Each structure stands twice: as C-alpha cells, then as structure tokens.
Amino acid sequence: MRNRITRRARPSISRFYATASAAAITVALAASGANAQEAPTSPDTDTVEAVVVTGIKAGIQNSINIKKNETSIVEAISAEDIGKLPDVSIGESIARLPGLAAQRVNGRAQVISIRGLAPDFTTTLLNGRQQASSGDNRAVEFDQYPSELLSSVVIYKTPDAQVSGMGLSGTADLRTVRPLAYGRRALALNLRGEQTAGKKLNDDVANRGGRFSASYINQFDDDTIGVALGYAHLDSPSQVRHYKAYGYEAFGFAVTPDSADNALMLNGQEIFVTSRLNKRDAVIGIFEYQPNDRIHSTLDLYYSTFKQNETTRGAQWFSNGWADNATFSNVKTKQLGGSSFAESGTLNNGVPILRNDFNKRQDQLFSAGLNNEFQLSERTRLLADLSYSSNKRKEQIMETYAGYGRGVGGVTPGTPDVGRTFDTIGFQVADKGFSQYDEGLNYADATKVTLGDRAPWGGWGHDGAIRYPHVKEDVSALDLRLEHEMDGFITGVDVGLNYTKREKTKSVLDNDLFLKNGRQQVYVDASDLVAPTQLGFAGFGGVLSVKIGDVWKKYYNASPILDANYFDKNWAITEEVTTAFAKANFQVGDLRGNLGVQVVKQSQESSGVVINGLEPGKPIVPTKIKAGADYTDVLPSLNMIYDLGGGHRIRFALSKTMARPRMDDLRANVTPGFNSLVCSGQPCAPGTTVNPWSASGGNPNLKPWMAKAADLAYEWYVSPATYVSVAGFYKKLDTYIYQQSGKFDFTGIPLPSTATAIPPGIVISNIGQITLPANGKGGEVKGLEFSGAVDLGEIIDPLKGFGMQGSLSLTKSNLNPTTSTDPTQKVRIPGLSGTVYNVTGYYERGGFQARISQRYRSAFKGEVVQLFATRGFTEILADKQVDAQIGYTFQEGRLENLGFLLQVNNLTDSPYRTRLGLDGGGTTTSSGATLPETYEKYGRQILFGVNYRF
C-alpha cells in the first residue's frame, strides 16, 4: 500500500554518519509507521510518496541504503522498527556482517574481529564518538550496548578522513535514532521472557530471566525540538557445561597391560558447571534543538550498569603417573593420528579437588556528547562536538578447594597427604565431546567432604584465592569541523581538528585464602550448603555445593599476594591525540569520491614500577617510574565510486591506517632478574665483564601499528532489497608488535645479596637483556568478501515474502610475529579465521515473520582469561551457530501493531572447543594432529516476547 510521509524541510542530519539520501530516510520513516495516515501539507513542507515497507524487509532495505550511499566501503545493519534490531545482543547482529566474526565469551558474542585482525585493531564509536572500554585493552565489549536502544550499526572498512580515531581494521559506529529526522511520534514497548534449555546446573542460580525495553520519540514546538528516550532492562541467565584436558603423555612404568605402555594418557582434567546471571540496565536520552535553518544542536546521553554473577562448581584432578604413585589398569587403546591413545581404563590413586568458585563483575558506562551546527552562510557550515565517555569495571574472582576426608592442618611439602583420600576412577576419554568418568567415592556427602587444599606434590600452598581487578577508562574529546560546498570538480572541502584524551588504569588486588585455625580442614555448616551439583554430563556424580560467595569470610582469612605478578598487573596510561584533517569531495560525471589526509600527533605516558624482588625471602620493593613518547603520523585516504549505470558500480579505496598499541603492552613496569651463576658456564678471569642482569616488562615507547590498504569492490543494487557485492582487500602492515629482546640499563637497581656468588674481580655490567613488546617486522593480510541479499518474491511471484541474505569471507595472512628464524615455528596473529560465512533465510507476509540464520567461523587464535586473572591466547576451533525466530504482528483492528515473537538462539547447541597448545606447540600425534583441550556447551537460549508500538 502507499502512504504519504510528511516532514519539514531542514538541513542534513548533524553527524557525519547521517549522509544517507532522502530515500534511505524515507525507508526508515516508512518502517516506523505501517499504518500512518496521510498528513496535511503546508507551504513549508515536502511530501514524499513512498511504498511502506515494514519488519525484516525494512531493516534490510535501510541497511542496503546506508551501504549504497556511503562514500566509504561500509557494512550496515538497521533496526526493523524502533527498538527491534534482529538479535538479542548487538554483538550477535554485528557478527553477521561480511568480513566480521565474533568470539564467543561465556556463550555470547562479546568482541569482534574485522577482516581477520584482533579486536584491538577496531575502534568503536557511539554516534561518531570514541567509546571507553572496560576491557583490559582497547576492544569494546559489545554486550554492554543493548540492541533495543540502537537504530543501526555501520562498520567502516575504509577510512573517512574527517573521522578521528579510525581503526586499522575498521571502525564500528553504533547509532541511535535522531528524533527530528525520524519525523513522527512513536512509543514502543518490548517484553521478553528468557530461559536456558534444560535443568538448572547449580540449584541456587536461576536459568530463567527476562528483558524489557521502552522507547519514546516525539517532536515539539513546530518540529524545532526533538526528544528520544529509551530504557532497556536485561536479566539474562546462561549456563556452561565445561570440560578441559590438561595434557597428554605416556606413563609406561605405571600402565597395564604392557601393550599400552606407549599410549598417550590424559594427565589431568577438570569438569565444571557454571551458572551466570547477567543484569543490565541502560538508558538513553537524545535531545535535538533546531529553531531555524542556521542552528542545530543535539545532546546524546547514554548510561548503563551491567552486573554479572558467576557460580562455578565441579571437580578437577591429576591423572599423572608421577603424582601419588598413580597407576592405570585395564587400559584400552586406539590409533589416533598414527599414535597409540588411551581411550579407557581405570585410574588408581586419584584425588579429586572439588571447586566452589564465585565471581562477580560490575561495569558502569557513561557517554555524553553535545553537537552544534552553525550554518554560517548558504555554503559554509561549522560543527563543534564535545564528548565524554567513561567506563568502570569492578570484579571479584574467587576460587576455593575441597576434598574427601579430613586431616589435621593443611597440605604442605612436609605433610603431603593431610586429608587426601585416594579414589579409583574409571575413565573413557573422548576426542570429541565430554569424556566420561566413574568415581568410587561420594563427593556430595557433607559428612565426608571438607574444605582445604588437596593438590599433589605438597599442595598449592593455599586453600583458595580471591582477586579484585579494577579497570577505569575515561575518554574526552573536542571536535571542530568547517564544511564548505563548492561548484565544479571539487564539490566541497572539509577541514577540522580533533583533540582526544584517554586515561586508563588497571589494578588487581591478589589474595590467597587460608582456612582459619592453622589451615585446619573443616566441614561446611548445613546452612551454607545447597543441593549437590550434578556432573552427570561427564558421568561423574554429585559434588558438594557451598554458597561460598556469601560465607567465605566465615571459613577463610585473606592474605595479600605481593609477588612480581601482582605488581606487573597494576599500571596507568595517559594518551593525548591531536588530529588535524582536510578532505575534498569531488564529482565528475559518474565518478565521485573524496581525498583526505590526517596529521596525527600522539603523546603517551605510562606510570609503572621497577619490581625489585631479587632478595630471597624479603618483600618486593617497587620503585615508581614514568616513561612515554611522542609521535606524529600522516594518514592519507582516497575513496572513489564509479557508477556504471543500472545499479552497477565500482568502488576503489587507498589509505594508510593506524591502531594505537595495546594498553598492557604500553605499561612501564619492569621485572628484573639476576643470574648469580653467570660464571658457572664460562671462564671468569679477574677483569672479565659479565652481564647477569635480565628483565621483562612493557614498553611505553611503542609506536602504533601502521598499515597501507587497498580495496576494490563491485556492487550491483538490483532493487531495494536485493544486491550483490564482491570485494577484495589488501593490507600491508609496516610493523607488528610482538615480544622481542633488547638492551636495558639496570643502573640504580641495587645488586642482590646473591651477587656474592660471582667471583671477586669480575666486572658486573649494568647493561642486560630485556624481553618486551616491540615494533617488529610486518606482513600482509588480504582477502575476498562475497555478500548479497535477494528478495525472492521479485523473481518468482509464488515466493513472495521469501528472502535470503548471506556473506562469505576468505582471509589470508603471512604475518609471523616472532624473532625465531625456524620456519617450523610460525606464530599466527590473533583474530584471523580463514573462512567466515553467514546465511539467513526469512519469510515475511501478512504480519507473519520467520527467520533462520547460521554463522560459521573457522579456527582462530583467541584471547581468553587464563590463570591468575591474566590474559592469554589459545586456539579456538571452528564454530557454527544457528539461530531462529518466528513472530506475528497484528495488522488491523484493536490489536493492530501488537506483535509476538519466539526466538531460539544456539538452536543446535553448538560446542565451544579449543585444542591443546598454540601455533606449533602442544602435544601432537605422530601425524602432527593436535589433541583436544576445552569442550563447552551452553544450551539453547529460548525467548518468548511481546511488543507493541503506538
């Protein structure tokens, strides 16, 4: 059907991103009002005829319009309607775009890689403004931004010179609605119930939750004032069944039968279940004021709190022939990759360590931006933008140990078996899926299980640990821009200046937990217990479940850990970046584009410590230091579009791009080491100079990552909901940051007492070797991207309402960030998956909607949280996820605009998997095949909701 959309004539939307044509705005307006009545016209209004398109198809059309009308090469997603982006999180939505891939963290799409480069290479904006991150580095965690409050997301794959802080791999711009451009009053309400399929894994943590959002848009005072308000509440549970193999080795001396002597045996494992509660409250406020055609002001406000509570319970134990005189009987083997592999048998003398862990985290994100436009003349416009973004993260990471039996005191090297009860455990190791176990003791028996360290080899030296990471980041920016329109080949010139200050601090308070009364192993009071947690998915029975998050102080004393690792995790970084830019827009015939340049002056300073812990048995004496550097870089860019006619076009882009170094790499911390036995392996005659000093640390003098990039794309826009695109890209990274060795002057650090082991008369040099991140050799990243959408009803009339979207990305890199010259020791870069594809099929007609999507990502090197709350890398294996939804919206009558939705995410319950080792490391079979490490399943996420717009 056809309606008339009426809007007051006004200048272009304030921010740089709002350059879409009137057609794109028309689609967005049409999508918001399926049954809008024709509005009266007046002499100062424009009337636009438009075919009203709603729902899924409207979102696709608006995304295609954004892609088509941007001069840069971009990808976009757009809301079907106010408050209705298609996925439960913005991260899930972004992950469906060509050339993008998400890393699942706790079952959710949290961080994004663009074109095979790690998330740290991407800049994230909210309405064109840089956002602070609560992560350890620069990557923004997208699950902090509710999809219900965003109208669209645009991913810039080639830079725009007037946008400061563009990422090296790309830039993600999250956009909220502009009430004056929206042009109508709207109120939308969304309510969804949510459940993780299956039973609760931990009895005291719910597996049901809900979501609610409300959005309101209106215009006042003859469309000179616009207001948009939004609120979104999230109460979302998640559950994880977790299994991890520690490693594999042969224990021929402890294995029967003898035929299994050379078999690879699993030397340790853990089985945990984790239940999480994710609660987020977010509000936005957008206020526009445009009293006339010369002044336009927009104030954006965003605030969210995100709380996460995580309960983990389970068991872990070593099945190692070198521990506890362990033996293995009835071992059966199979051939795996040319090697003998122990697939089943019995472990004798196993000692499971029971875990009751509780973590919590709270993030607070605040962003504010004030944009003012002044039309100085018919052709000249001044824009001034002031913004601030702050992100705070507070965490608690706690683990506790328990075991079967009770002894006097704690496990120590002198009393290695205190309270340790040996068990016989049958095993069947899986090379795919969960391994299966059959234990002999009842680890859920509260009369037999006590708190306390049960590790072999004299224990871990404590009965638990609790850590408190705190991260705070503030980003302040001032952006000034002057735009002038011209006639002729140069259609306009933009010049401007941006100043951005970023301050980030990280601190981690580490504590050991010791049981009270001299580490006396203790039974848990019945009032502090919940129903045992069942590990049946791995064949294991129940384990004692303690409400440890509420009562840990009742059983434990906390003792600060002031080791070198503690001091190295604390740092502060300040950056000031001034960017001057100029851009010329041009058009001649069917060729148009822009040519621009940025001059970026960067100043960085890091506060840290020299961590002098060389005196055995004495506390570390940290010495505060500050260091930094200044750099200036020139970044040219060119974007061109040639219109071939009939919807066909060619895009070409050349650019030089930049990414600032990782925050933790910039830390000024230095941890010295001293080799007092330096003369034991070489002749040391009197007068000989030796270099016993060494160190590790960060590098506050790091230069940014720099890359030269070329892009070429062919696009065919067949109809409003149908297009085809083929794109190729090439990036030449001039340098890459990785661990290297260099010289360091240790002057001022006192010699340790162990230096007396160096013979008299030997000259101890103050120059030693330091291992730290440094700018090194670069390399290439290149790829092909295929994407498209098709409205099948335009091709075959019986298929009216059916449509498809899809993309395929193929990426390669020869980057090898290592100093090793051994060709077999290749090191891959984080974030690169060779193959990524997404495909979506949908049906929409008569108010009925259905959609099913699948996304795939091949194996890649991912950054994860590892031991002691530190970050590290592992290889995450190929991942395939399927999501589906159906819904119905009433089209007329009393229930008009009332909709219902059923959504199932992770429909096939796809697992998260990692392998043992990284790059060329880890135990392998004779054929070189890798062995499995982590296997997790998250279960299906089921949502049922109702939405209403009026």
Side-chain angles (χ1 to χ4, degrees), residues 22 32 90 177 209 211 225 260 311 512 542 623 660 694 733 807 853 912:
S32 70
I90 196 62
V177 72
R211 301 161 183 255
I225 298 174
T311 299
D512 278 330
T623 304
R660 301 276 302 139
S694 64
L733 275 75
S807 68
S853 300
Y912 168 92

Side-chain angles (χ1 to χ4, degrees), residues 510-529:
D510 288 343
N511 297 271
D512 278 330
L513 295 180
F514 296 100
L515 287 168
K516 296 183 177 182
N517 300 320
R519 297 187 63 194
Q520 174 58 49
Q521 296 172 5
V522 60
Y523 295 107
V524 180
D525 290 346
S527 59
D528 300 327
L529 296 174

Side-chain angles (χ1 to χ4, degrees), residues 101 103 112-121 168-169 662 705-707 729-739 774 776-783 810-818 825-835 857-864 872-876 915 918-920:
Q103 178 177 329
I112 301 293
S113 294
I114 300 178
R115 288 181 160 178
L117 291 171
D120 290 311
F121 289 94
L168 184 146
S169 61
R662 287 170 56 102
W705 280 293
M706 305 294 296
F729 70 90
Y730 173 85
K731 293 183 185 292
K732 175 65 172 67
L733 275 75
D734 298 329
T735 66
Y736 198 87
I737 298 172
Y738 54 95
Q739 292 291 320
K777 62 184 178 181
E780 302 172 351
V781 180
K782 55 188 176 182
L810 306 173
T811 308
K812 289 184 177 181
S813 173
N814 66 358
L815 281 160
N816 186 26
T818 177
Q825 299 299 312
K826 290 188 176 180
V827 175
R828 293 168 303 155
I829 60 173
L832 192 148
S833 291
T835 302
R857 181 177 190 180
S858 62
F860 68 101
K861 185 176 183 176
E863 186 177 14
V864 297
F873 294 98
T874 189
E875 177 164 347
I876 300 173
R915 74 164 176 87
L918 185 63
D919 297 320

